[in-house]
């Protein structure tokens, strides 16, 4: 079971994790990641934009790459768009597998690739006005560790 959703609505982390293992007796591990809008004192809100259709396809391709690398039972990626306030959930990545190593590795891979390959645009509302968020070099470095021939521990 693979599911990719881009939505404005919030999500229930517990329900999403439960859904990953429901009906799959072989599931031995579920790993998940939840990204939040940071409280950094400067950002009053963050607006996330995407290109409908293109974004979902990019996320599905990332999930496909993860399934090709590891033995996975289910993958779920939910990414919110629209205006979000500090503390609100932005993204959920959940992986079900028979073994923890595959679940942990695939979860990190999906998140690293999502940060560098998925077409989302972020704008922060700050006291000095709105600003677009540039790609971070640290995100590129994290994704580069997964390139062919490189498999992090």
């Amino acid at each position: 079971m693979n599911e990719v959703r881009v939505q404005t609505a919030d999500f229930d982390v517990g329900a999403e994790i439960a859904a990953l293992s429901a009906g799959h007796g072989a599931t031995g591990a579920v790993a998940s990641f939840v990204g939040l809008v940071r409280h950094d004192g400067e950002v009053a809100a963050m607006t996330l934009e995407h290109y409908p259709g293109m974004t979902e396809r990019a996320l599905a391709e990332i999930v496909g790459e993860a399934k090709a690398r590891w033995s996975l039972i289910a993958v779920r990626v939910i990414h919110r768009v629209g205006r979000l306030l500090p503390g609100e959930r932005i993204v959920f990545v959940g992986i079900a597998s028979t073994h923890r190593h595959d679940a942990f590795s695939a979860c990190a891979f999906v998140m690293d690739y999502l940060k560098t390959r998925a077409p989302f645009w972020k704008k922060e509302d700050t006291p000095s006005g709105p600003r677009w968020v540039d790609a971070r070099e640290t995100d590129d470095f994290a994704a580069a560790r997964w390139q062919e021939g490189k498999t992090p521990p």
Side-chain angles (χ1 to χ4, degrees):
M1 167 185 92
N2 299 327
E3 186 173 354
V4 170
R5 295 191 326 244
V6 177
Q7 61 191 43
T8 57
D10 196 8
F11 49 85
D12 180 328
V13 175
E16 299 302 336
I17 290 172
L20 281 166
S21 58
H24 303 287
T27 300
V30 173
S32 65
F33 173 84
V34 177
L36 307 171
V37 178
R38 279 188 291 277
H39 287 278
D40 72 358
E42 190 174 318
V43 176
M46 177 180 285
T47 301
L48 290 103
E49 298 180 5
H50 76 299
Y51 193 100
M54 177 189 287
T55 303
E56 291 84 353
R57 279 191 301 278
L59 294 174
E61 287 173 11
I62 293 166
V63 167
E65 288 184 51
K67 291 196 74 139
R69 286 177 180 243
W70 295 280
S71 177
L72 308 179
I73 295 169
V75 179
R76 184 167 290 202
V77 177
I78 303 168
H79 204 297
R80 294 181 65 197
V81 293
R83 190 169 193 271
L84 301 173
L85 301 175
E88 289 190 300
R89 290 180 281 267
I90 302 170
V91 63
F92 173 84
V93 174
I95 309 287
S97 182
T98 54
H99 301 286
R100 72 178 185 275
H101 183 282
D102 287 351
F104 280 132
S105 296
C107 191
F109 171 88
V110 169
M111 196 59 223
D112 287 345
Y113 271 40
L114 186 150
K115 291 285 288 183
T116 58
R117 289 189 179 178
F120 288 101
W121 296 272
K122 298 176 186 177
K123 182 174 60 174
E124 295 175 335
D125 294 336
T126 70
S128 57
R131 67 176 178 218
W132 290 99
V133 177
D134 292 327
R136 292 187 168 93
E137 190 175 315
T138 54
D139 293 331
D140 291 331
F141 178 76
R145 69 189 177 134
W146 299 103
Q147 290 174 359
E148 193 171 331
K150 297 180 183 178
T151 301

